Structure formats: structure tokens, C-alpha cells
Amino acid sequence: MTAQVADIGVKSVDAVVVGAGFAGLYALHKLRNLGLRVQVLEAGKGIGGTWFWNRYPGARCDVESLEYSYSFSEDLQQEWNWPERFAAQADILRYINHVADRLDLRRDILTETRVVSAVFDPATDLWTVRTANEGAFRAPFCLMATGNLSLPRVPNFPGLERFQGNWYHTGQWPEEGVDFTGRRVGVIGTGSSGIQMIPVIAEQAKHLFIFQRTANFSVPAVNRPLTPEVERGHKDKYAYWRDEARRTPFGIAGHPPPTRSALDDTPEEREKIYETKWGTGGNISFLYAYKDLLTDKASNETASEFVRNKIRSIVHDPKVAELLLPNDHPIGTKRLPLDIGYFETFNRDNVTLVDVRSDPIVEITEKGLRTGTREFELDDIAFATGFDAMTGALLDIDIHVEEGPTLAEKWAHGPRTYLGLMTAGFPNLFMITGPGSPSVKTNMIASIEQHVDWISDCIDHLRQEGFKRIEADPGAEDAWVEHVNQVADATLYPLANSWYVGANIPGKPRVFMPYIAGLDKYRVICDEVAANHYRGFRLAAS
């Protein structure tokens, strides 16, 4: 659905939702069920958020498809059929569009409508949200469903504008796809998207050059078609699996919390367990081999070295294998990718690994790319360089209270929220899976549903009790930020220069952004806050 809004002036609704991915669609559904008039604004020409934009070859989810789906509707759960254990991007996008049609959501969604500002008027307790199309919407409540990985980062390499070939970013991939057959291709970046994309491009390209700055851990997906028997067995017990998932840190069922330390077992026993996990597939499964892989360096090193040995055994050329061995972060402290034949790709004759840590990229040239010592002729460049994660999309919008600082100014030294739901000084502005919440350290849909349910219950409470305004108390916010930091500091996560701390964005404050105590513990905290008259929030009738 495409619409222009320049000629309709300011439209008044009860709530504006920014973003039409999984979070925005569920927010629309929930708020509409409260009887609210809701307007969803989406920058893309189609719905789907992350799964609309990230169409790169090999893109798929690293949470199993039967879990990475909405749980709020039994009909939806039962009627949709997933073809694979780990769903590909195209299948997830088809699912999202099915949900929108099934729930008649499109009539309240404006696509190709990028939000440029959101301004709160304290005199009226209303947000005015303006778009690049010059349309404006006014509402008492504004919900930011902008996503955690939705503002792509293209490195500022000199000379990119002179490049005579084609260049792409994984987060802005052409809808029609790209055929690399017979082409000399350079992929820059070996994070999750690069690891998914590289094996697919290698099968097409005449030659593939992989420019790696940081070696990354990865474990096998062990993806496979979902048989009718497996799907039916899960669907028959969907209520049980969903209930179990809600009681887990990651929002994912089927992985009982481990009880043993990696150091409790002999090397032979550990090897057997890791080998079983490697053959089973999945990153949660692997990191759940032992209870202390993310809290104890010695325990973690046993898992890290197991994977390094796997890389050594898979990659034939010892020099290439050595370059692929991660040695600057404990396994799991960066997002642990799942792969389908990633390390095997480096055994192909048409694949060259280039270490740009020792020989950095100097510039993009008309015909390709130049490092300090070599030049590479390329027909195409694919940037797998990630996103300005968790805060980028929010700070890309001019969000402020009239006569007050912008959100970007408030967060100049790092994001500050209460529960990842609101930030002090910005009334009636809700963030779905904002910084300071479990978000990217969980099954995102589980976190989205928990946040949207809490926000919709809160808005319903405000309306029922005659309150016009809610905002986070600064003291409660300070205490929550300190708590989030304390939890992170008790783990190995801060040891990695990851996008969890904004390390991939030059000049971005180094702050660990997700809350990693677990979605199960976080859910209890949020429920207790609501039950105690929204403790830590200020509610006002005028």
C-alpha cells in the first residue's frame, strides 16, 4: 500500500506507530483492539522492517522458524507452514504479509512515508509527527517501532563515489536481487550477514575477494526442511512450548538451562558435548553447553578453542585457517552467527581471503579497491558492514519536547532509558525493544510481544484512569541504567568490541546497550512495575 500524505494537513489519531515490521504490526493490532485510532508510518515501500530491507543472498533467521513467529494468535500459529528449520528472508516476509492481510492491518499503514521529526507539546500533551512527504500526524501517544538493526552503516571509504562498478549494502539490497555470475566481487565484512552471504556469492562469482578485518566465530545452522511430522508435533504442543519459552532467558524453548561448569568436565567429556552441540546446530544450543560460557573466561576458552580447532580442520590452507581464527573476543560475546558452509567456502579456488587488519583498505578506486600494498579489480562491492544498532534509527529522527533538548542531545554519552521502554523527559513516547531491554539478546518476536503487551496495557490503564501523561522518573532511569551496566559487567560481553556497545560506529559512545539478565527475569520486573502503580513512572491527569 503506497500513499502520499502531503495534501491532508495534520491528521489527528490516538496513537502514531513508527515502523511496520513485526513490532509495528503487533502494536497496531493491540491498540486497535483497545478501540484506538492508530496510524502506522513506514519508510519502506513495503511492510516487514528488517525482513523487507535485508534481501541479500543467504539471508535467514538464526532463531528456529516455529519459534520466530507470533504467539498471540492460535489460528496464525496453526495455519502457517514453515518450509525450513531456519526460515529464509523471503519466507519470513511472506509470513509478515500474510499476517497483515489476515488481520486487515494495511488500511492503517502508510508506506513510503519516512518520519523526520516527532515533537511533544507540553501544553496539549500531544505528539506531532512529521514525515518527509510533508504530512503530519498528531496523537497523545507515539510508539517507536523502528527496530534494532535498521540504519545501515556504509563505511566512509575515500573514492566510493568514483567506483565504476556496482555497490550494495546488505541492509539495502535491491528488491530484484543481484546476479553475480561471472563477476569479480568484493565482500567487505565478515559478521552475521557476511557469513550468510559469502557462500552463496562464491557459487556465482568468477572470483570472490573477502575483505576481513576481524575474524568471527560461527557455528553450523544444520538447517533442513521441516517435515509435516515435525511441524505437527510442535503445533500440537504450541501452548506448552510458548509457555516454556516465556520462562527462558532467550525467549526460546527447548534448551534447558545447563547446570555444570565447563571446568567440571574432563577435556574428553567437554569435547564430546561440544561435538554434539556442533552437530545439532543453533547458537543458543551451543552456548548452552555449559552454564558459565559467558561469565568465566577459562570456561569460555574451552568452547572458543573447540571452534578454532574446527576451523583448522575444515580450511585446507593453514595460513588461511590462521587468519580465520578469532582471537580478540570470547565466543558468544559478539552475536554468534549460524552458517551454511561458511568455512568450507575458503577451500574454493575462486575465493581469496584478504586480511585488512594487517593491510587496511586505503580507498575505493574507479576499478575496484586498494589496500596499503595491493590493488583489486572488482566489478561489484557488497558491504556487509552492519548497522548503527539499537539507537541509530531513533536518533535519525528529530525527537524532542518543545523548547527542550533532542533525544540525540540527551543520549550524547549513550542511551538512557527506564526498562528500555521510555526515557525521562519525553512523555508518552514509548520504545519497543529499546536500549536497556533484552531485545537483540533474545528471540526478537518474544521481546516485541512482551513490550507491546506491556505498552498497550499501560495505555489502557491511563485512559481508564483519566491520566493524560506518563513519563519515566529520572531517578528510576538512573537506577535502571546502573543495573543494566552491573549485569553486563558481571559477564564477558563487555570484553568484545561489538555493535552491542556501538564499537562499529566511529564516535559512538561505548555503552553496553542490551539488558542481558534474561527475558524471563525482565518480564517479571516489568509486571511488578505495572502492578505497583507503574513504579518509577510519573503519571499525570493534565
Side-chain angles (χ1 to χ4, degrees), residues 202-216:
E203 292 179 354
Q204 299 177 2
K206 177 181 179 181
H207 200 95
L208 174 61
F209 296 91
I210 300 163
F211 298 92
Q212 173 190 272
R213 185 180 61 181
T214 305
N216 213 339

Side-chain angles (χ1 to χ4, degrees), residues 500-521:
Y500 297 144
V501 297
N504 62 319
I505 305 297
K508 187 169 181 175
R510 298 292 182 93
V511 176
F512 193 83
M513 293 180 280
Y515 178 61
I516 53 172
L519 183 57
D520 50 346
K521 297 180 180 65

Side-chain angles (χ1 to χ4, degrees), residues 46-57:
I47 65 171
T50 292
W51 301 106
F52 174 83
W53 295 104
N54 288 264
R55 301 168 179 269
Y56 60 86

Side-chain angles (χ1 to χ4, degrees), residues 52 66 96 112 116 145 199 201 262 273 367 379 409 454 459 500:
F52 174 83
L66 287 163
I96 293 171
E112 296 187 272
V116 296
I201 295 179
I273 287 175
K367 295 184 177 181
D379 300 308
E409 289 169 337
W454 192 96
I459 290 175
Y500 297 144

Side-chain angles (χ1 to χ4, degrees), residues 441-457:
K441 293 307 301 171
T442 67
N443 172 358
M444 280 300 302
I445 299 183
S447 278
I448 284 167
E449 288 188 324
Q450 184 268 335
H451 258 203
V452 170
D453 288 344
W454 192 96
I455 292 168
S456 62
D457 287 347

